[in-house]
Amino acid sequence: MKNKIISCILASLFMCTALSGCASKKAPEIPVIDDFYRTTYEIFVYSFYDSDGDGIGDLNGVTEKLDYINDGDPSTTDDLGCNEIWLMPICPSTTYHKYDVTDYLNVDPEYGTLDDYKKLVEEAHKRGIRVINDTVMNHTSSSHPWFLEAKKYLQNLPSGEAPNPQDCPYIDYYHFTDKADKGYNKLEGTDYYYECQFWSEMPDLNLDNTSVQKEFADYAKFWLDLGCDGFRMDAVTSFTTENIGESTKELGTFVKAVKDINPDAYIVGEAWTSSSSYSKYYASGIDSLFDFDFSGSEGLIAKCAKGKMTPIRYVQSQIDEDELYSSYNENYVNAPFYTNHDMARSAGYYTGKNAKNSIKLSGALNLLMSGNAFIYYGEELGMKGSGQDENKRAPMQWASEGSTGMTKGPANMDKFEMPYGSLEDQKDDPDSIYNYYKKAISLRNTFPAIARGKCSLIESLSGDRNVLWIKDASDKLDDTIKDSKVLLALNNGDESIEIDLGKDDATEGFRTLSATLSTGTDEATLEGDKLILPAGGIAVITMSN
């Protein structure tokens, strides 16, 4: 997608002050680039913000809180700075999570109306925020009219008579069989079984059926016409059970349908498996796939933040992935993320006196990665949540319980305390997780090479607890963009580290310390060739004029 440069004035000296924690409310000028390399905020609408007092979050509530995500004014520092939102499923459904859809062309009444959606998109676009919809194409609800029609037909089919799609086309929308198999459920009142790999109330769709393909092409056009900017594809590995080739083909059919409508629409897929497997789905032509290797309590981000692996591996793994993903789609855009709605929240990954600093550092490690980086709502507050799914989707902590806009959360959610308090508690605390996240996002936005650059490891200056690497985005940025190359330095250890940049020619010219990020009170310094990185410190070094 061609970059559309709106502004590009980087004030390096002031930037270093602003990003390192100065109290100034004036932000540096940031280049605004309209492409797929964004910072995306994942929202579970049910638990986000309640605009009408019923205890359930809604689309109007998201609209009310857009300024929290991004107020559209680059001169302020009161917003997070994210420039895309992913709405978890918003279509009518029988469950609180809404991954069992009963109508693909409407909004669940708990969340509002189509007019509310249009208003949300319109207001988001005014602020430079793109909106992508969670898309559940693998299965429908068992209460969806398609399934109900197929069920009714089979229940009324005379004994011994074979089903005929000409009499009821919906029997070919799903996988019906007269033989029991793994992941199949008996259809009541018949001798037939239907595939439902996730749950009996979520019958799997037959995505090889051209009629089903057309239904989803129509679905895409419907939402794109309303202003939607793209789609997050749920469970792409399950499109055809245990068949990567067929699932990739089916995904590719949808991707083509979307791109035929709007080439600038963005599509990201959930393929929950290892990179060696999910990389193959890039052959579908999809823009992005979530980078599961780096996510979760045992992923590369957490291991690096805990000091359980060298930071060199954190960088080298990104280099290796780039080579792998490019082999399937040279135009791929990685989708790094740390946690999501199916994972325990990161506040539970760390214990002891350094837990808070580890939560901060892990957030930065996600945001330093190339691609479209995703943040799960509330991670910027260090929210807690593990165990059953409801706990992972607890109310966004705007203020104390019962405050305006606070939701009641899912009905079966356990009661538990949030260890780091609410936004109200954190917003004026310079040491809070919230303010650290804001600085990390600002750093990502201010230096476009961070999100878009290819990594080059400077191994001679790296060690067991530190790493230096260059990110080069010269091939992706307009030649008016300053700092298309940046030198990044990271210390994941408990003690400060001194590094002599003069010992490797790869650092030649990089002598301006333009931004720092620290989990504690000490900041990185650079005098001549001598770089000092504090514990948990990050430095962004640019070319000197």
Side-chain angles (χ1 to χ4, degrees), residues 36-39 266 282 288-291 294 314-315 318-319 321-322 325 332-337 364-374 444 447-456 469-473 475-476 486 488:
F36 293 158
Y37 294 86
R38 293 181 172 256
T39 307
Y266 172 73
Y282 273 117
S288 299
L289 292 163
F290 288 113
D291 198 338
F294 281 80
Y314 162 76
V315 176
Q318 295 174 62
I319 296 171
E321 283 190 341
D322 178 53
Y325 301 158
Y332 88 96
V333 177
N334 194 26
F337 76 105
L365 293 175
N366 180 40
L367 292 163
L368 287 177
M369 292 180 65
S370 295
N372 183 2
F374 286 75
R444 178 179 175 86
F447 302 94
I450 291 178
R452 296 162 183 82
K454 286 185 177 292
C455 299
S456 298
W469 72 110
I470 292 172
K471 288 197 126 181
D472 185 349
D475 62 333
K476 291 186 173 67
V486 294
L488 300 177

Side-chain angles (χ1 to χ4, degrees), residues 158 175 236 460 462 503:
H175 296 287
V236 303
S460 67
S462 303
K503 289 186 175 181

Side-chain angles (χ1 to χ4, degrees), residues 380-429:
E380 75 276 18
L381 302 177
M383 280 176 56
K384 182 181 177 183
S386 61
Q388 60 182 344
D389 284 344
E390 290 88 342
N391 296 349
K392 303 165 188 172
R393 305 174 198 191
M396 175 66 177
Q397 299 296 293
W398 301 107
S400 58
E401 187 175 344
S403 300
T404 301
M406 285 290 292
T407 69
K408 61 186 178 183
N412 295 324
M413 183 185 73
D414 295 329
K415 289 288 185 182
F416 50 91
E417 295 294 323
M418 295 297 172
Y420 300 101
S422 67
L423 173 65
E424 190 67 27
D425 298 322
Q426 295 192 38
K427 65 181 183 179
D428 296 324
D429 177 4

Side-chain angles (χ1 to χ4, degrees), residues 26-47:
K26 184 74 175 174
E29 199 77 25
I30 292 175
V32 181
I33 304 173
D34 188 11
D35 61 9
F36 293 158
Y37 294 86
R38 293 181 172 256
T39 307
T40 302
Y41 194 70
E42 178 190 356
I43 297 174
F44 180 47
V45 177
Y46 193 100
S47 292

Side-chain angles (χ1 to χ4, degrees), residues 101-104 140-152 168 170 173-174:
V101 177
T102 60
D103 180 359
Y104 285 98
T140 69
S141 168
S142 59
S143 297
H144 194 288
W146 299 341
F147 190 78
L148 293 177
E149 285 294 319
K151 176 181 177 181
K152 178 181 176 182
C168 179
Y170 297 112
Y173 275 40
Y174 301 89

Side-chain angles (χ1 to χ4, degrees), residues 514-542:
S514 291
T516 68
L517 191 62
S518 179
T519 58
T521 56
D522 295 333
E523 299 288 345
T525 61
L526 177 59
E527 296 181 6
D529 292 342
K530 186 172 76 172
L531 172 67
I532 297 179
L533 276 178
I538 294 166
V540 180
I541 303 168
T542 57

Side-chain angles (χ1 to χ4, degrees), residues 268-281:
V268 57
E270 178 206 27
W272 198 331
T273 179
S274 64
S275 58
S276 60
S277 294
Y278 63 70
S279 59
K280 298 175 183 177
Y281 289 89

